[in-house]
């Protein structure tokens, strides 16, 4: 639900480029692949339905290659 709210709010406010972090994967220690999959699936569904539209969506994951790789792989798995 948080992912959907973030994406819808960004679209509603006219944002065309979106920079996201690996929310909940730092201090809260949520499972990285699960968070990445949730964002990938939510973004894919909202784009497919026309509920949101962005020119660019990137994840700003610095100094943590395993986390960055997980987000890349999960998005690739969902979006082909």
């Amino acid at each position: 639900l948080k992912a959907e709210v973030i994406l819808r709010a960004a679209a509603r406010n006219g944002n065309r480029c979106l920079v996201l972090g690996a929310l909940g994967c730092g201090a809260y220690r949520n499972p990285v692949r699960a968070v990445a999959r949730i964002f990938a699936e939510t973004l894919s569904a909202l784009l497919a339905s026309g509920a949101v539209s962005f020119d660019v969506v990137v994840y700003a994951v610095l100094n943590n290659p395993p986390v960055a790789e997980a987000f890349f792989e999960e998005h690739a798995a969902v979006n082909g």
Side-chain angles (χ1 to χ4, degrees):
L1 182 62
K2 185 182 277 190
E4 184 173 349
V5 169
I6 290 166
L7 296 169
R8 285 182 182 274
R12 185 173 37 253
N13 285 302
N15 293 291
R16 302 297 306 151
C17 299
L18 195 56
V19 179
L20 301 170
L23 300 173
C25 296
Y28 291 106
R29 303 210 188 277
N30 288 308
V32 173
R33 288 211 177 265
V35 172
R37 177 60 65 131
I38 288 166
F39 267 95
E41 290 175 348
T42 303
L43 178 60
S44 181
L46 291 172
L47 289 169
S49 73
V52 301
S53 176
F54 301 108
D55 295 328
V56 178
V57 178
V58 296
Y59 285 88
V61 179
L62 301 175
N63 300 322
N64 198 331
V67 173
E69 184 176 299
F71 272 82
F72 176 79
E73 290 175 353
E74 292 301 322
H75 278 269
V78 169
N79 297 300

